[in-house]
C-alpha cells in the first residue's frame, strides 16, 4: 500500500490499507509486554494519510487507532499525536 500511496495511486493504496486494517482487527491481543506487529499499526497510520483529505473523520479514527497500537518508541508517533490534536480542534 505504501508504494501505491507514494506513487499517487491513492485509491489502490486505500484498498490495501483497508485490508491490512481489517486483518489487524482479527489479531489476538499481544502478550503482556509486547506490541502488535509493525504492519498492524502502520496500516492505520497510512490509511489515515490516504483518506485525510477526502474523509477526515475516518482519517482521525485511524490515526487514533495507530496511537493505541504503536509503541511509545515509534518514530512518527509524535507527528501523529500533533496531527490528531490539530484535527480534533
Amino acid at each position: 500500500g505504501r508504494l501505491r500511496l507514494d506513487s499517487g495511486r491513492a485509491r489502490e493504496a486505500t484498498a490495501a490499507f483497508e485490508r491490512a486494517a481489517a486483518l489487524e482487527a482479527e489479531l489476538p491481543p499481544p502478550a503482556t509486554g509486547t506490541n502488535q506487529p509493525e504492519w498492524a499499526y502502520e496500516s492505520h497510520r497510512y490509511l489515515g494519510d490516504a483518506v485525510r483529505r477526502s474523509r477526515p473523520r475516518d482519517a482521525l479514527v485511524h490515526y487514533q487507532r495507530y496511537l493505541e497500537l504503536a509503541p511509545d518508541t515509534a518514530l512518527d508517533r509524535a507527528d501523529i499525536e500533533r496531527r490528531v490534536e490539530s484535527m480534533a480542534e
Side-chain angles (χ1 to χ4, degrees):
R2 175 81 192 272
L3 292 174
R4 292 178 180 127
L5 186 62
D6 289 347
S7 66
R9 296 164 41 199
R11 185 173 291 154
E12 292 175 30
T14 299
F17 293 132
E18 286 174 337
R19 284 191 301 274
L23 288 173
E24 178 275 314
E26 297 176 13
L27 291 174
T32 302
T34 63
N35 296 309
Q36 292 288 24
E38 184 175 359
W39 66 263
Y41 56 86
E42 289 292 341
S43 67
H44 288 283
R45 186 241 199 265
Y46 291 118
L47 182 52
D49 288 349
V51 301
R52 189 171 173 190
R53 287 186 171 82
S54 62
R55 299 180 351 224
R57 288 186 189 141
D58 290 343
L60 181 59
V61 167
H62 287 289
Y63 290 144
Q64 289 169 329
R65 183 67 177 148
Y66 166 87
L67 292 173
E68 291 172 9
L69 297 173
D72 292 341
T73 58
L75 294 177
D76 54 357
R77 185 177 185 86
D79 180 48
I80 299 302
E81 287 172 342
R82 285 188 298 275
R83 193 172 297 173
V84 165
E85 188 176 305
S86 71
M87 291 175 77
E89 294 176 348

